């Protein structure tokens, strides 16, 4: 899309070399904006933004959001944070710092620039929910001292900071609670269920299920998610969120494993392991608010999204094994 200079925005995306961030960067560039992608490449990779090398409206800056950032932009999307348990539990103190100090630094920048700021929050703020499906009004059931707490409580504190900057400094904020998202450019070794199952199937290994596989998840395809994120950013100042973004269609983990095996024609057997501590048994978004406020609902069927994800990992395999 060609955009005249006066309607073009300069947009900061933190975590822009990550899975969701890189798709968001692509979409913003397609819309004709300038994008400054800031990432410390902890879980993100240059491969995710390689295709943008030399793009006249794209800039990459290697930077850790726990440190102050001085740039001039019109909007901020704050996505920087490791999102999978294997990565966020690797250095839990750094995970909390990334959420909390990262939010303080981005909000401080937004306050100086008087620009609106998006926060990628998470369904993990609901913890192991006792309300099902989870509406935004549910306050959650979170263990403050467990192995997942660095992520869950870090994200909860970031939400608090966003709403305090809004109340105290009049900052325009947009908080989305993102539920399980999948698609091309997910980290191949993030231990998340979709990438795990696909990698195991493509390598002809048995597929590992934790528990008996009856726990349910909902999976949102990344293109749908990015669409919701941008719609939220485009709302007027009266809309702050939090707004759930996810796919309410539920599947059991076992059903997902069987779909992946069918799609890859791998013939992998399913093996069962003990459930990790604090693993939520059931999680499903209530997206009534997103439907009403943003006119948004996911459109990509699980099969279609899985096919594209399997294709991505299939193409990635030779690179990983070289
Ligand atoms: N993928 C999901 O299902 C999901 C669900 C809920 C919320 N989210 C949130 O969405 C955001 C993006 O998640 P993702 O799945 O793309 O994960 P990801 O790990 O692929 O992306 C996160 C990016 O942030 C970068 N990063 C991490 N710490 C940083 C730091 N201190 N400074 C600068 N960059 C840093 C990483 O290198 C990576 O590129 C995260 O905030 C995550 O919490 C994701």
């Amino acid at each position: 899309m060609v955009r005249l200079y006066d309607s073009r925005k300069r947009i900061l995306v933190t975590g822009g070399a990550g899975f969701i961030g890189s798709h968001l960067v692509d979409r913003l560039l397609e819309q004709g904006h300038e994008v400054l992608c800031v990432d410390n490449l902890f879980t993100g990779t240059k491969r995710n933004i390689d295709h943008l090398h030399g793009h006249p409206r794209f800039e990459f800056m290697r930077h850790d959001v726990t440190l102050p950032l001085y740039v001039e932009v019109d909007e901020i999307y704050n996505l920087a944070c490791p999102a999978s348990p294997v990565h966020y539990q690797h250095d839990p103190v750094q995970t909390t710092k990334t959420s909390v100090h990262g939010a303080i630094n981005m909000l401080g920048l937004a306050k100086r620039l008087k620009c609106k700021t998006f926060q990628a929050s998470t369904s993990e703020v609901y913890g192991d929910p006792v309300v099902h499906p989870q509406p935004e009004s549910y306050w959650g059931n979170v263990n403050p001292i467990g192995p997942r707490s660095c992520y869950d409580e870090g994200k909860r504190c970031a939400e608090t900071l966003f709403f305090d900057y809004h109340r105290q400094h009049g900052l325009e904020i947009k908080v989305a609670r993102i539920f399980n998202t999948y698609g091309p450019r997910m980290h191949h070794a993030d231990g998340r269920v979709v990438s795990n199952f696909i990698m195991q199937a493509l390598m002809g290994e048995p597929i590992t299920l934790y528990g008996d596989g009856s726990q349910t998840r909902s999976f949102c395809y990344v293109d749908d998610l990015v669409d919701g994120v941008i719609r939220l950013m485009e709302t007027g100042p009266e809309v702050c969120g939090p707004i759930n973004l996810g796919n309410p269609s539920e599947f059991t983990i076992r059903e997902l494993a069987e779909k992946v095996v069918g799609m890859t024609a791998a013939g992998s057997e399913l093996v069962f392991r003990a459930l990790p501590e604090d693993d939520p048994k059931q999680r499903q978004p209530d997206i009534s608010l997103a439907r009403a406020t943003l006119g948004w609902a996911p459109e990509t069927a699980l099969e279609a999204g899985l096919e594209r994800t399997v294709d991505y990992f299939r193409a990635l395999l030779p690179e990983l094994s070289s």
Side-chain angles (χ1 to χ4, degrees), residues 14-22 38-45 48 63-67 78-84 87 94 97-99 102 118-124 151 155 176-182 185-187 190 192 220 225:
T14 76
F19 158 50
I20 298 174
S22 62
V38 163
D39 201 299
N40 69 352
L41 301 181
F42 172 47
T43 50
T45 150
N48 290 342
H63 172 84
D64 189 316
V65 295
T66 61
L67 303 168
N78 186 35
L79 278 78
C81 186
S84 65
H87 291 134
Q94 174 66 11
K97 278 188 187 168
T98 295
S99 276
F118 168 91
Q119 167 65 2
S121 191
T122 168
S123 56
E124 302 284 340
Y151 184 71
K155 288 285 188 180
R177 290 184 178 153
I178 300 170
F179 284 65
N180 276 338
T181 301
Y182 73 102
R185 303 188 199 150
M186 296 181 82
H187 197 290
D190 64 5
R192 283 193 271 193
C220 184
L225 193 269

Short mmCIF file of all heavy atoms in Angstrom, two decimals, residues 14-22 38-45 48 63-67 78-84 87 94 97-99 102 118-124 151 155 176-182 185-187 190 192 220 225, ligand 1:
data_model
loop_
_atom_site.label_atom_id
_atom_site.label_comp_id
_atom_site.label_asym_id
_atom_site.label_seq_id
_atom_site.Cartn_x
_atom_site.Cartn_y
_atom_site.Cartn_z
N THR A 14 8.47 -3.48 19.76
CA THR A 14 9.48 -4.20 20.55
C THR A 14 9.16 -5.69 20.45
O THR A 14 7.99 -6.08 20.39
CB THR A 14 9.52 -3.76 22.02
OG1 THR A 14 8.40 -4.33 22.71
CG2 THR A 14 9.51 -2.24 22.18
N GLY A 15 10.21 -6.50 20.41
CA GLY A 15 10.00 -7.94 20.19
C GLY A 15 9.66 -8.21 18.74
O GLY A 15 9.08 -9.25 18.42
N GLY A 16 10.05 -7.30 17.85
CA GLY A 16 9.65 -7.38 16.44
C GLY A 16 10.36 -8.46 15.65
O GLY A 16 9.96 -8.74 14.51
N ALA A 17 11.40 -9.08 16.22
CA ALA A 17 12.06 -10.19 15.51
C ALA A 17 11.54 -11.53 16.02
O ALA A 17 12.05 -12.59 15.67
CB ALA A 17 13.57 -10.11 15.69
N GLY A 18 10.52 -11.47 16.87
CA GLY A 18 9.93 -12.70 17.41
C GLY A 18 8.83 -13.22 16.49
O GLY A 18 8.61 -12.70 15.39
N PHE A 19 8.16 -14.22 16.97
CA PHE A 19 7.11 -14.88 16.18
C PHE A 19 5.98 -13.90 15.84
O PHE A 19 5.79 -13.52 14.67
CB PHE A 19 6.63 -16.10 16.99
CG PHE A 19 5.27 -16.61 16.64
CD1 PHE A 19 4.92 -16.86 15.31
CD2 PHE A 19 4.33 -16.87 17.64
CE1 PHE A 19 3.66 -17.34 14.99
CE2 PHE A 19 3.08 -17.35 17.33
CZ PHE A 19 2.73 -17.59 16.00
N ILE A 20 5.23 -13.44 16.83
CA ILE A 20 4.08 -12.56 16.55
C ILE A 20 4.59 -11.20 16.04
O ILE A 20 4.06 -10.64 15.08
CB ILE A 20 3.20 -12.36 17.80
CG1 ILE A 20 2.61 -13.70 18.25
CG2 ILE A 20 2.10 -11.35 17.53
CD1 ILE A 20 1.82 -13.64 19.56
N GLY A 21 5.65 -10.69 16.70
CA GLY A 21 6.17 -9.36 16.36
C GLY A 21 6.54 -9.25 14.89
O GLY A 21 6.25 -8.23 14.24
N SER A 22 7.17 -10.29 14.33
CA SER A 22 7.62 -10.19 12.94
C SER A 22 6.41 -10.16 11.98
O SER A 22 6.46 -9.50 10.95
CB SER A 22 8.57 -11.34 12.58
OG SER A 22 7.92 -12.58 12.71
N VAL A 38 12.66 -3.27 17.49
CA VAL A 38 13.64 -3.33 18.58
C VAL A 38 13.58 -4.71 19.22
O VAL A 38 12.50 -5.17 19.59
CB VAL A 38 13.34 -2.22 19.62
CG1 VAL A 38 14.05 -2.49 20.93
CG2 VAL A 38 13.74 -0.86 19.07
N ASP A 39 14.73 -5.36 19.31
CA ASP A 39 14.73 -6.74 19.84
C ASP A 39 16.13 -7.06 20.33
O ASP A 39 17.11 -6.64 19.72
CB ASP A 39 14.31 -7.71 18.71
CG ASP A 39 13.77 -9.02 19.23
OD1 ASP A 39 14.53 -9.73 19.91
OD2 ASP A 39 12.61 -9.33 18.96
N ASN A 40 16.23 -7.84 21.42
CA ASN A 40 17.57 -8.25 21.86
C ASN A 40 17.94 -9.64 21.33
O ASN A 40 18.97 -10.20 21.69
CB ASN A 40 17.69 -8.22 23.40
CG ASN A 40 16.86 -9.29 24.08
OD1 ASN A 40 16.07 -9.98 23.43
ND2 ASN A 40 17.02 -9.44 25.38
N LEU A 41 17.06 -10.20 20.50
CA LEU A 41 17.27 -11.51 19.86
C LEU A 41 17.45 -12.64 20.88
O LEU A 41 18.17 -13.61 20.60
CB LEU A 41 18.44 -11.45 18.86
CG LEU A 41 18.28 -10.45 17.73
CD1 LEU A 41 19.48 -10.49 16.79
CD2 LEU A 41 17.00 -10.71 16.93
N PHE A 42 16.80 -12.53 22.02
CA PHE A 42 16.86 -13.63 23.00
C PHE A 42 16.13 -14.85 22.44
O PHE A 42 16.70 -15.93 22.33
CB PHE A 42 16.29 -13.18 24.35
CG PHE A 42 16.14 -14.30 25.35
CD1 PHE A 42 17.18 -15.21 25.56
CD2 PHE A 42 14.97 -14.47 26.07
CE1 PHE A 42 17.05 -16.26 26.46
CE2 PHE A 42 14.83 -15.52 26.98
CZ PHE A 42 15.87 -16.42 27.17
N THR A 43 14.88 -14.69 22.10
CA THR A 43 14.14 -15.80 21.47
C THR A 43 13.82 -15.48 20.01
O THR A 43 13.46 -16.38 19.25
CB THR A 43 12.82 -16.08 22.21
OG1 THR A 43 12.13 -14.83 22.37
CG2 THR A 43 13.06 -16.71 23.55
N GLY A 44 13.91 -14.23 19.65
CA GLY A 44 13.66 -13.85 18.26
C GLY A 44 14.88 -14.14 17.42
O GLY A 44 15.97 -14.43 17.95
N THR A 45 14.74 -14.06 16.12
CA THR A 45 15.86 -14.36 15.24
C THR A 45 15.84 -13.46 14.01
O THR A 45 14.77 -13.05 13.55
CB THR A 45 15.86 -15.86 14.82
OG1 THR A 45 16.45 -15.99 13.53
CG2 THR A 45 14.47 -16.44 14.74
N ASN A 48 13.58 -14.23 11.01
CA ASN A 48 12.19 -13.77 10.94
C ASN A 48 12.03 -12.43 10.23
O ASN A 48 10.93 -12.09 9.80
CB ASN A 48 11.60 -13.64 12.35
CG ASN A 48 11.39 -14.99 13.01
OD1 ASN A 48 11.36 -16.00 12.33
ND2 ASN A 48 11.23 -15.01 14.33
N HIS A 63 18.48 -4.11 20.96
CA HIS A 63 18.39 -3.36 22.22
C HIS A 63 17.57 -4.18 23.21
O HIS A 63 16.63 -4.88 22.83
CB HIS A 63 17.70 -2.01 21.94
CG HIS A 63 17.38 -1.22 23.18
ND1 HIS A 63 18.29 -0.41 23.80
CD2 HIS A 63 16.23 -1.15 23.91
CE1 HIS A 63 17.72 0.15 24.88
NE2 HIS A 63 16.48 -0.28 24.95
N ASP A 64 17.91 -4.06 24.49
CA ASP A 64 17.19 -4.76 25.55
C ASP A 64 16.21 -3.76 26.18
O ASP A 64 16.64 -2.70 26.66
CB ASP A 64 18.21 -5.27 26.58
CG ASP A 64 17.57 -6.19 27.59
OD1 ASP A 64 16.46 -5.87 28.08
OD2 ASP A 64 18.17 -7.23 27.90
N VAL A 65 14.92 -4.10 26.20
CA VAL A 65 13.92 -3.13 26.69
C VAL A 65 14.00 -2.87 28.20
O VAL A 65 13.33 -1.98 28.71
CB VAL A 65 12.47 -3.53 26.33
CG1 VAL A 65 12.25 -3.51 24.83
CG2 VAL A 65 12.07 -4.87 26.95
N THR A 66 14.82 -3.65 28.91
CA THR A 66 14.98 -3.36 30.34
C THR A 66 15.84 -2.09 30.52
O THR A 66 15.96 -1.58 31.63
CB THR A 66 15.63 -4.54 31.10
OG1 THR A 66 16.92 -4.78 30.57
CG2 THR A 66 14.78 -5.79 31.00
N LEU A 67 16.44 -1.64 29.41
CA LEU A 67 17.22 -0.39 29.44
C LEU A 67 16.42 0.71 28.76
O LEU A 67 15.66 0.43 27.83
CB LEU A 67 18.55 -0.59 28.70
CG LEU A 67 19.41 -1.74 29.24
CD1 LEU A 67 20.56 -2.06 28.29
CD2 LEU A 67 19.94 -1.40 30.64
N ASN A 78 4.31 -2.93 22.33
CA ASN A 78 5.29 -3.56 23.22
C ASN A 78 5.05 -5.07 23.31
O ASN A 78 4.17 -5.53 24.02
CB ASN A 78 5.20 -2.93 24.62
CG ASN A 78 6.30 -3.46 25.54
OD1 ASN A 78 7.42 -3.73 25.09
ND2 ASN A 78 5.98 -3.63 26.80
N LEU A 79 5.86 -5.82 22.57
CA LEU A 79 5.71 -7.28 22.55
C LEU A 79 6.93 -7.99 23.13
O LEU A 79 6.95 -9.21 23.22
CB LEU A 79 5.50 -7.78 21.11
CG LEU A 79 4.09 -7.69 20.55
CD1 LEU A 79 3.76 -6.27 20.11
CD2 LEU A 79 3.92 -8.61 19.36
N ALA A 80 7.97 -7.24 23.47
CA ALA A 80 9.21 -7.89 23.90
C ALA A 80 8.99 -8.67 25.19
O ALA A 80 8.65 -8.09 26.21
CB ALA A 80 10.30 -6.84 24.10
N CYS A 81 9.18 -9.95 25.13
CA CYS A 81 9.12 -10.83 26.30
C CYS A 81 9.16 -12.27 25.81
O CYS A 81 8.41 -12.61 24.89
CB CYS A 81 7.81 -10.61 27.08
SG CYS A 81 7.77 -11.54 28.63
N PRO A 82 10.01 -13.11 26.40
CA PRO A 82 9.93 -14.52 26.02
C PRO A 82 8.56 -15.06 26.41
O PRO A 82 8.04 -14.71 27.47
CB PRO A 82 11.05 -15.18 26.84
CG PRO A 82 11.35 -14.23 27.94
CD PRO A 82 10.98 -12.86 27.46
N ALA A 83 7.97 -15.90 25.54
CA ALA A 83 6.57 -16.26 25.76
C ALA A 83 6.34 -17.72 26.10
O ALA A 83 5.24 -18.11 26.48
CB ALA A 83 5.77 -15.90 24.51
N SER A 84 7.36 -18.54 25.96
CA SER A 84 7.13 -19.96 26.23
C SER A 84 7.84 -20.35 27.52
O SER A 84 8.91 -19.80 27.84
CB SER A 84 7.67 -20.81 25.07
OG SER A 84 9.06 -20.68 25.02
N HIS A 87 11.62 -20.84 27.65
CA HIS A 87 12.41 -19.62 27.51
C HIS A 87 12.24 -18.68 28.69
O HIS A 87 13.22 -18.13 29.18
CB HIS A 87 12.05 -18.90 26.20
CG HIS A 87 12.50 -19.65 24.99
ND1 HIS A 87 11.71 -19.86 23.89
CD2 HIS A 87 13.68 -20.27 24.72
CE1 HIS A 87 12.39 -20.57 22.99
NE2 HIS A 87 13.57 -20.83 23.48
N GLN A 94 15.23 -12.20 34.79
CA GLN A 94 15.26 -11.38 33.57
C GLN A 94 13.85 -11.31 32.94
O GLN A 94 13.48 -10.28 32.38
CB GLN A 94 16.29 -11.96 32.59
CG GLN A 94 16.33 -11.29 31.22
CD GLN A 94 16.82 -9.84 31.23
OE1 GLN A 94 17.34 -9.36 32.24
NE2 GLN A 94 16.65 -9.14 30.14
N LYS A 97 11.96 -8.77 34.83
CA LYS A 97 12.52 -7.45 34.48
C LYS A 97 12.04 -7.02 33.10
O LYS A 97 11.73 -5.85 32.87
CB LYS A 97 14.05 -7.51 34.45
CG LYS A 97 14.71 -7.39 35.79
CD LYS A 97 16.22 -7.27 35.56
CE LYS A 97 16.98 -7.32 36.85
NZ LYS A 97 18.42 -7.50 36.62
N THR A 98 12.01 -7.97 32.16
CA THR A 98 11.59 -7.62 30.79
C THR A 98 10.16 -7.10 30.80
O THR A 98 9.85 -6.08 30.18
CB THR A 98 11.74 -8.83 29.84
OG1 THR A 98 13.13 -9.15 29.76
CG2 THR A 98 11.21 -8.54 28.46
N SER A 99 9.28 -7.79 31.54
CA SER A 99 7.89 -7.34 31.59
C SER A 99 7.75 -6.01 32.32
O SER A 99 7.09 -5.09 31.84
CB SER A 99 7.02 -8.38 32.30
OG SER A 99 6.63 -9.36 31.39
N GLY A 102 10.62 -3.31 31.21
CA GLY A 102 10.29 -3.05 29.80
C GLY A 102 9.05 -2.17 29.71
O GLY A 102 9.02 -1.20 28.95
N PHE A 118 0.58 -0.01 22.87
CA PHE A 118 -0.08 -1.32 22.95
C PHE A 118 0.75 -2.24 23.83
O PHE A 118 1.98 -2.29 23.71
CB PHE A 118 -0.18 -1.92 21.54
CG PHE A 118 -0.59 -3.36 21.53
CD1 PHE A 118 -1.92 -3.72 21.46
CD2 PHE A 118 0.37 -4.37 21.58
CE1 PHE A 118 -2.30 -5.06 21.45
CE2 PHE A 118 0.00 -5.71 21.58
CZ PHE A 118 -1.33 -6.05 21.51
N GLN A 119 0.09 -3.01 24.68
CA GLN A 119 0.78 -4.00 25.49
C GLN A 119 0.29 -5.41 25.15
O GLN A 119 -0.91 -5.68 25.20
CB GLN A 119 0.54 -3.71 26.99
CG GLN A 119 0.95 -4.82 27.95
CD GLN A 119 2.46 -5.10 27.99
OE1 GLN A 119 3.26 -4.44 27.31
NE2 GLN A 119 2.84 -6.08 28.76
N ALA A 120 1.25 -6.28 24.82
CA ALA A 120 0.92 -7.70 24.58
C ALA A 120 0.85 -8.38 25.93
O ALA A 120 1.85 -8.84 26.47
CB ALA A 120 1.98 -8.34 23.71
N SER A 121 -0.36 -8.43 26.50
CA SER A 121 -0.54 -9.19 27.73
C SER A 121 -0.95 -10.60 27.34
O SER A 121 -0.85 -10.99 26.17
CB SER A 121 -1.57 -8.51 28.64
OG SER A 121 -1.54 -9.13 29.92
N THR A 122 -1.39 -11.37 28.30
CA THR A 122 -1.54 -12.80 28.04
C THR A 122 -2.69 -13.42 28.82
O THR A 122 -3.04 -12.93 29.91
CB THR A 122 -0.22 -13.51 28.41
OG1 THR A 122 -0.44 -14.91 28.42
CG2 THR A 122 0.29 -13.11 29.77
N SER A 123 -3.19 -14.51 28.30
CA SER A 123 -4.19 -15.29 29.04
C SER A 123 -3.61 -15.84 30.34
O SER A 123 -4.36 -16.24 31.23
CB SER A 123 -4.67 -16.45 28.17
OG SER A 123 -3.56 -17.24 27.77
N GLU A 124 -2.27 -15.85 30.44
CA GLU A 124 -1.65 -16.36 31.68
C GLU A 124 -2.00 -15.48 32.88
O GLU A 124 -1.81 -15.91 34.02
CB GLU A 124 -0.12 -16.45 31.52
CG GLU A 124 0.36 -17.33 30.40
CD GLU A 124 0.28 -18.82 30.68
OE1 GLU A 124 0.21 -19.20 31.85
OE2 GLU A 124 0.27 -19.59 29.70
N TYR A 151 6.56 -15.01 34.66
CA TYR A 151 5.85 -14.57 33.45
C TYR A 151 4.47 -14.03 33.82
O TYR A 151 4.13 -12.89 33.48
CB TYR A 151 5.72 -15.77 32.49
CG TYR A 151 5.08 -15.42 31.17
CD1 TYR A 151 5.76 -14.66 30.21
CD2 TYR A 151 3.81 -15.89 30.84
CE1 TYR A 151 5.18 -14.37 28.97
CE2 TYR A 151 3.22 -15.61 29.62
CZ TYR A 151 3.91 -14.86 28.68
OH TYR A 151 3.33 -14.57 27.46
N LYS A 155 3.57 -10.07 33.75
CA LYS A 155 2.57 -9.53 32.82
C LYS A 155 1.44 -8.84 33.57
O LYS A 155 0.86 -7.86 33.10
CB LYS A 155 2.00 -10.66 31.96
CG LYS A 155 2.97 -11.20 30.92
CD LYS A 155 3.12 -10.24 29.75
CE LYS A 155 3.94 -10.86 28.62
NZ LYS A 155 4.09 -9.96 27.47
N ALA A 176 -4.05 -5.94 25.22
CA ALA A 176 -4.69 -7.16 24.72
C ALA A 176 -4.21 -8.34 25.53
O ALA A 176 -3.01 -8.47 25.81
CB ALA A 176 -4.33 -7.37 23.25
N ARG A 177 -5.14 -9.21 25.92
CA ARG A 177 -4.75 -10.48 26.56
C ARG A 177 -4.78 -11.55 25.48
O ARG A 177 -5.85 -11.99 25.06
CB ARG A 177 -5.72 -10.81 27.70
CG ARG A 177 -5.54 -9.85 28.86
CD ARG A 177 -6.40 -10.21 30.04
NE ARG A 177 -6.16 -9.29 31.13
CZ ARG A 177 -7.04 -9.00 32.07
NH1 ARG A 177 -8.24 -9.57 32.06
NH2 ARG A 177 -6.73 -8.15 33.03
N ILE A 178 -3.59 -11.93 25.06
CA ILE A 178 -3.44 -12.85 23.94
C ILE A 178 -3.49 -14.29 24.46
O ILE A 178 -2.81 -14.62 25.43
CB ILE A 178 -2.10 -12.56 23.21
CG1 ILE A 178 -2.09 -11.11 22.68
CG2 ILE A 178 -1.86 -13.57 22.10
CD1 ILE A 178 -0.74 -10.65 22.15
N PHE A 179 -4.29 -15.10 23.78
CA PHE A 179 -4.35 -16.53 24.09
C PHE A 179 -3.46 -17.27 23.09
O PHE A 179 -3.00 -16.70 22.11
CB PHE A 179 -5.80 -17.03 24.01
CG PHE A 179 -6.65 -16.63 25.19
CD1 PHE A 179 -6.94 -15.29 25.44
CD2 PHE A 179 -7.15 -17.58 26.07
CE1 PHE A 179 -7.71 -14.91 26.53
CE2 PHE A 179 -7.92 -17.21 27.17
CZ PHE A 179 -8.20 -15.88 27.40
N ASN A 180 -3.24 -18.57 23.34
CA ASN A 180 -2.34 -19.38 22.51
C ASN A 180 -2.43 -19.04 21.03
O ASN A 180 -3.49 -19.18 20.43
CB ASN A 180 -2.69 -20.87 22.65
CG ASN A 180 -2.03 -21.47 23.86
OD1 ASN A 180 -1.03 -20.95 24.35
ND2 ASN A 180 -2.60 -22.56 24.36
N THR A 181 -1.31 -18.65 20.48
CA THR A 181 -1.25 -18.29 19.07
C THR A 181 -0.22 -19.19 18.40
O THR A 181 0.75 -19.60 19.03
CB THR A 181 -0.86 -16.80 18.94
OG1 THR A 181 -1.84 -16.04 19.63
CG2 THR A 181 -0.81 -16.34 17.50
N TYR A 182 -0.46 -19.52 17.14
CA TYR A 182 0.47 -20.41 16.44
C TYR A 182 0.58 -19.97 14.99
O TYR A 182 -0.25 -19.19 14.51
CB TYR A 182 -0.03 -21.87 16.51
CG TYR A 182 -1.22 -22.12 15.61
CD1 TYR A 182 -1.07 -22.76 14.38
CD2 TYR A 182 -2.48 -21.64 15.94
CE1 TYR A 182 -2.15 -22.94 13.53
CE2 TYR A 182 -3.56 -21.82 15.10
CZ TYR A 182 -3.38 -22.47 13.90
OH TYR A 182 -4.45 -22.63 13.05
N ARG A 185 7.01 -19.22 11.84
CA ARG A 185 7.98 -18.43 12.62
C ARG A 185 7.86 -18.64 14.12
O ARG A 185 8.52 -17.94 14.88
CB ARG A 185 7.92 -16.94 12.30
CG ARG A 185 8.13 -16.62 10.84
CD ARG A 185 8.26 -15.11 10.63
NE ARG A 185 8.02 -14.77 9.24
CZ ARG A 185 7.51 -13.61 8.82
NH1 ARG A 185 7.21 -12.68 9.71
NH2 ARG A 185 7.31 -13.39 7.56
N MET A 186 7.03 -19.58 14.56
CA MET A 186 7.12 -19.95 15.97
C MET A 186 8.52 -20.52 16.16
O MET A 186 9.09 -21.11 15.24
CB MET A 186 6.16 -21.10 16.31
CG MET A 186 4.74 -20.80 16.16
SD MET A 186 3.77 -22.25 16.63
CE MET A 186 3.76 -22.10 18.41
N HIS A 187 9.07 -20.39 17.35
CA HIS A 187 10.39 -20.95 17.64
C HIS A 187 10.28 -22.48 17.62
O HIS A 187 9.40 -23.04 18.27
CB HIS A 187 10.86 -20.45 19.01
CG HIS A 187 12.32 -20.64 19.23
ND1 HIS A 187 12.89 -21.88 19.40
CD2 HIS A 187 13.33 -19.75 19.30
CE1 HIS A 187 14.18 -21.74 19.57
NE2 HIS A 187 14.48 -20.46 19.51
N ASP A 190 10.59 -24.16 21.26
CA ASP A 190 10.04 -23.41 22.39
C ASP A 190 9.21 -24.29 23.33
O ASP A 190 8.71 -23.81 24.34
CB ASP A 190 9.21 -22.20 21.90
CG ASP A 190 7.99 -22.60 21.11
OD1 ASP A 190 7.71 -23.81 21.00
OD2 ASP A 190 7.30 -21.69 20.60
N ARG A 192 6.40 -25.32 23.03
CA ARG A 192 4.95 -25.08 22.99
C ARG A 192 4.31 -26.21 22.19
O ARG A 192 4.92 -26.80 21.31
CB ARG A 192 4.64 -23.71 22.39
CG ARG A 192 4.91 -22.61 23.42
CD ARG A 192 4.35 -21.28 23.04
NE ARG A 192 5.30 -20.52 22.25
CZ ARG A 192 5.16 -19.23 21.99
NH1 ARG A 192 4.13 -18.56 22.44
NH2 ARG A 192 6.06 -18.60 21.27
N CYS A 220 -5.13 -19.72 18.15
CA CYS A 220 -5.49 -18.65 17.21
C CYS A 220 -4.38 -18.54 16.17
O CYS A 220 -3.20 -18.49 16.52
CB CYS A 220 -5.64 -17.33 17.96
SG CYS A 220 -6.19 -15.98 16.94
N LEU A 225 -4.68 -13.04 14.75
CA LEU A 225 -4.27 -12.32 15.97
C LEU A 225 -3.77 -10.92 15.62
O LEU A 225 -4.20 -9.92 16.24
CB LEU A 225 -3.18 -13.16 16.66
CG LEU A 225 -2.74 -12.87 18.08
CD1 LEU A 225 -1.59 -11.91 18.18
CD2 LEU A 225 -3.88 -12.45 18.99
N1 LIG B 1 2.59 -16.72 21.24
C1 LIG B 1 1.59 -16.77 22.11
O1 LIG B 1 0.81 -17.72 22.11
C2 LIG B 1 1.39 -15.64 23.10
C3 LIG B 1 0.32 -15.74 24.00
C4 LIG B 1 0.12 -14.72 24.92
C5 LIG B 1 0.93 -13.61 24.92
N2 LIG B 1 1.96 -13.54 24.03
C6 LIG B 1 2.82 -12.35 24.11
O2 LIG B 1 3.08 -11.84 22.82
C7 LIG B 1 4.42 -11.33 22.77
C8 LIG B 1 5.17 -11.99 21.63
O3 LIG B 1 5.21 -13.39 21.85
P1 LIG B 1 5.83 -14.41 20.80
O4 LIG B 1 5.06 -15.65 20.85
O5 LIG B 1 6.02 -13.72 19.52
O6 LIG B 1 7.22 -14.73 21.49
P2 LIG B 1 8.70 -14.63 20.93
O7 LIG B 1 9.60 -15.17 21.98
O8 LIG B 1 8.79 -15.22 19.57
O9 LIG B 1 8.89 -13.06 20.78
C9 LIG B 1 9.32 -12.25 21.83
C10 LIG B 1 10.42 -11.34 21.29
O10 LIG B 1 10.85 -10.48 22.35
C11 LIG B 1 12.28 -10.45 22.32
N3 LIG B 1 12.74 -10.11 23.66
C12 LIG B 1 12.67 -10.87 24.78
N4 LIG B 1 13.20 -10.20 25.82
C13 LIG B 1 13.58 -8.99 25.35
C14 LIG B 1 14.19 -7.85 25.94
N5 LIG B 1 14.50 -7.83 27.24
N6 LIG B 1 14.47 -6.79 25.15
C15 LIG B 1 14.16 -6.80 23.82
N7 LIG B 1 13.59 -7.85 23.22
C16 LIG B 1 13.30 -8.93 23.99
C17 LIG B 1 12.70 -11.82 21.86
O11 LIG B 1 14.01 -11.87 21.35
C18 LIG B 1 11.63 -12.12 20.82
O12 LIG B 1 12.02 -11.67 19.55
C19 LIG B 1 5.05 -11.59 24.13
O13 LIG B 1 4.96 -10.44 24.91
C20 LIG B 1 4.17 -12.67 24.71
O14 LIG B 1 4.15 -12.62 26.11
C21 LIG B 1 2.22 -14.53 23.13
#
